[in-house]
Amino acid sequence: MTILVTGATGTVGRHVVDQLIQKGHKVRALTRNPLKANLPKGVEVVTGDLSDPSTLGSALADVSGIHLITTGAEYTPLQTGPEIVELAERAGVRRVTVLWNGEKGPFERAVEASGLEWTQLQAFEFMANARKWADAIRSEGVVRDLFGGSRIAPVHEADIGRVASVALTEDGHAGKIYTLTGPESLSVQDKVRIIGEVIGREIQFIESSEEEREQMRRMGVEEEAIDYVISWHLNPPESASTVLPTVKEVTGLQPYTFAAWVKENADLFI
Ligand SMILES: NC(=O)c1ccc[n+]([C@@H]2O[C@H](COP(=O)([O-])OP(=O)(O)OC[C@H]3O[C@@H](n4cnc5c(N)ncnc54)[C@H](OP(=O)(O)O)[C@@H]3O)[C@@H](O)[C@H]2O)c1
């Protein structure tokens, strides 16, 4: 049977696709724009829009499992979640993984209330979020960001992909909420130092919540949401910085370090 990956062209989804292919599974990838999808050979690419469930008919046919994202444009929660869950159940889907976005919305609640075998994947921070510093590092050798001292244990997107591929294809993961972290709790300043060490350049860190606020405004994020993000980063919950053994427990593999992520992506910063 085929596994459908939503968000397949995105940072995390692409790793879910790669991991499933590596394990020999048939993968179908959902995208709104197949011409831009650029997915590996052998992946069946289907067109569909999660904000319009009427477009998902062919994507859901003969699918045993789905990797689900729960947000659409500008990271706003998809209000269509309950309809998508109903369609998936009717299509005979058995398992789903749900990539959580911090707060439970209608989509997550509908999955929990369904008869599907669900596994929720929660990540406080993707290592790939460091990409937002790339332009300023390349051009000025600086990083401007919120509160340099607050710590989070970021996870490599490939580890989310590994966990998702296990949960979608093996028994024993239904009804679990997995919080996924990398192997270290890192402050923003730690991450900036590690990038500098890997690329061999000293990078200056400038604490600036105003810069961050402006960047979010340019992305169209609402003021209330900006305030929430800033106060969260000022004082992240203890759980966000706690290193957890989940990736190793589920996959049998050590999670990737942030230094490994930077090495893979060093070209972005040079
Ligand atoms: N960044 C973090 O630290 C963090 C932490 C936890 C959770 N998350 C959540 O994790 C999810 C995945 O993040 P990411 O960074 O991998 O995403 P990303 O790289 O920003 O890519 C977004 C993906 O979502 C798809 N998409 C967006 N709206 C869609 C719609 N209406 N219908 C179908 N597909 C749609 C896009 O597909 P096409 O453009 O090809 O259609 C693309 O594959 C997001 O929901 C994000 O909110 C992020």
Side-chain angles (χ1 to χ4, degrees), residues 12-27:
V12 172
R14 179 55 200 267
H15 283 284
V16 179
V17 168
D18 289 347
Q19 291 296 325
L20 288 166
I21 295 265
Q22 261 181 42
K23 291 170 83 178
H25 299 287
K26 278 210 281 187
V27 177

Side-chain angles (χ1 to χ4, degrees), residues 193-212:
R193 175 183 46 76
I194 291 168
I195 296 171
E197 284 166 4
V198 172
I199 66 170
R201 177 175 184 187
E202 197 167 319
I203 303 167
Q204 190 193 357
F205 173 72
I206 301 169
E207 195 162 280
S208 166
S209 55
E210 272 320 298
E211 183 87 6
E212 191 73 4

Side-chain angles (χ1 to χ4, degrees), residues 9 19 25 72 76 95 131 180 186 205 219 245:
T9 60
Q19 291 296 325
H25 299 287
T76 46
R95 289 185 176 135
R131 289 184 306 202
L180 306 177
L186 299 170
F205 173 72
M219 286 166 66

Side-chain angles (χ1 to χ4, degrees), residues 6-14 30-34 36-37 48-52 56 67 69-73 75-76 78 99-102 121-129 131 157 160:
T6 68
T9 60
T11 313
V12 172
R14 179 55 200 267
L30 185 84
T31 177
R32 290 161 301 173
N33 188 348
K36 280 206 206 148
D49 187 333
L50 292 167
S51 64
D52 179 2
L56 301 176
H67 173 72
I69 54 167
T70 60
T71 57
Y75 298 109
T76 46
L78 280 161
L99 187 58
W100 242 50
N101 204 32
L121 310 178
Q122 183 187 19
F124 288 105
E125 186 180 84
F126 301 163
M127 289 182 182
N129 291 5
R131 289 184 306 202
E157 304 73 49
I160 305 178

Side-chain angles (χ1 to χ4, degrees), residues 178-252:
Y178 289 141
T179 301
L180 306 177
T181 75
E184 312 144 285
S185 171
L186 299 170
S187 67
V188 174
Q189 281 161 323
D190 290 332
K191 284 176 255 181
V192 172
R193 175 183 46 76
I194 291 168
I195 296 171
E197 284 166 4
V198 172
I199 66 170
R201 177 175 184 187
E202 197 167 319
I203 303 167
Q204 190 193 357
F205 173 72
I206 301 169
E207 195 162 280
S208 166
S209 55
E210 272 320 298
E211 183 87 6
E212 191 73 4
R213 187 177 281 279
E214 272 311 311
Q215 204 171 6
M216 285 189 268
R217 277 187 187 135
R218 283 196 294 274
M219 286 166 66
V221 182
E222 286 175 9
E223 285 304 307
E224 204 182 323
I226 296 176
D227 288 341
Y228 173 79
V229 170
I230 290 184
S231 68
W232 192 94
H233 281 272
L234 176 62
N235 193 12
E238 210 179 306
S239 51
S241 61
T242 307
V243 171
L244 295 167
T246 322
V247 168
K248 174 85 191 326
E249 284 171 359
V250 175
T251 66

Side-chain angles (χ1 to χ4, degrees), residues 12-155:
V12 172
R14 179 55 200 267
H15 283 284
V16 179
V17 168
D18 289 347
Q19 291 296 325
L20 288 166
I21 295 265
Q22 261 181 42
K23 291 170 83 178
H25 299 287
K26 278 210 281 187
V27 177
R28 185 179 293 161
L30 185 84
T31 177
R32 290 161 301 173
N33 188 348
L35 295 176
K36 280 206 206 148
N38 194 22
L39 287 156
K41 235 170 122 188
V43 172
E44 181 195 354
V45 178
V46 289
T47 309
D49 187 333
L50 292 167
S51 64
D52 179 2
S54 71
T55 64
L56 301 176
S58 56
L60 291 169
D62 300 322
V63 156
S64 60
I66 314 180
H67 173 72
L68 284 169
I69 54 167
T70 60
T71 57
E74 309 300 352
Y75 298 109
T76 46
L78 280 161
Q79 301 302 318
T80 47
E83 257 178 280
I84 295 171
V85 168
E86 202 185 313
L87 287 174
E89 286 195 284
R90 251 193 275 146
V93 174
R94 180 177 163 204
R95 289 185 176 135
V96 293
T97 48
V98 185
L99 187 58
W100 242 50
N101 204 32
E103 275 177 51
K104 250 178 231 181
F107 209 154
E108 290 84 354
R109 284 194 288 272
V111 168
E112 282 184 354
S114 74
L116 297 165
E117 292 179 23
W118 55 259
T119 309
Q120 298 185 37
L121 310 178
Q122 183 187 19
F124 288 105
E125 186 180 84
F126 301 163
M127 289 182 182
N129 291 5
R131 289 184 306 202
K132 70 180 175 182
W133 300 327
D135 289 348
I137 290 177
R138 275 198 320 273
S139 59
E140 303 171 68
V142 301
V143 163
R144 293 182 191 84
D145 207 314
L146 299 163
F147 324 109
S150 54
R151 307 180 81 81
I152 303 181
V155 63

